[in-house]
Amino acid sequence: MLQATWVEMDDHHQLIVCGTAGVQAYEQVASNAGKLNPVWSDNICERMEASAGMCPAASAPVLGRPHLRPHCAGVSKYCRGAASIGKDRVAVGTFTGEIAVYAAGKVQSPLLPGHGSSITCIHASQRRWVSADDGGTIIAWAGDARSDKFSGDG
């Protein structure tokens, strides 16, 4: 596991766990405040890895979108960065620089593009959210629309 964070949903909280296979969500059991039950999971990184190395022209798109994937051996596959971006949606960063948006545990298609390298973090306020990547690119978002893109120092 690379990250675990609580996100606020419409009327409850979910624990989002990001790792090398993908993302899992857990909720507290009402009758036992210390116990967590799995709610949903997605092995998105494994699906993305299966398409790595394929020529985009020759491969079927993953999640309905043609794309380029890292072609070199040794590229780490993982999800990292998670935040609630609305009452019922969670944004999760991927190793490709794309962002998966989940609603009720289902990934929306297409993934949000914009980053040229692996997502390192995602943070949100009530109206806006921001994502950052390994290459120093920072993108500010309003919903699913990119509102600003710039490079950070360091």
Side-chain angles (χ1 to χ4, degrees):
M1 294 298 128
L2 296 173
Q3 180 184 21
T5 188
W6 286 102
V7 297
E8 187 173 344
M9 302 305 282
D10 189 24
D11 60 350
H12 61 286
H13 288 82
Q14 287 186 341
L15 176 65
I16 305 295
V17 179
C18 300
T20 56
V23 59
Q24 297 87 39
Y26 299 86
E27 289 180 353
Q28 256 181 330
V29 177
S31 62
N32 183 349
K35 181 167 174 52
L36 296 173
N37 273 349
V39 180
W40 57 266
S41 67
D42 183 16
N43 293 334
I44 188 169
C45 294
E46 291 177 4
R47 289 196 317 275
M48 293 170 106
E49 182 177 29
S51 71
M54 293 177 145
C55 171
S59 66
V62 171
L63 302 172
R65 182 170 165 265
H67 53 273
L68 294 172
R69 296 285 183 240
H71 290 86
C72 56
V75 172
S76 296
K77 316 302 190 277
Y78 63 88
C79 287
R80 186 170 182 175
S84 175
I85 59 166
K87 292 182 178 185
D88 62 349
R89 299 186 329 143
V90 176
V92 176
T94 70
F95 66 95
T96 65
E98 294 169 299
I99 298 171
V101 177
Y102 292 89
K106 305 284 186 203
V107 67
Q108 297 177 350
S109 183
L111 302 183
L112 299 179
H115 287 279
S117 59
S118 302
I119 303 296
T120 55
C121 67
I122 296 177
H123 185 73
S125 66
Q126 289 183 346
R127 297 168 135 200
R128 298 174 57 97
W129 58 286
V130 65
S131 56
D133 68 31
D134 265 359
T137 300
I138 299 167
I139 298 178
W141 303 83
D144 291 345
R146 189 170 72 192
S147 61
D148 196 11
K149 181 176 181 176
F150 58 96
S151 293
D153 294 329

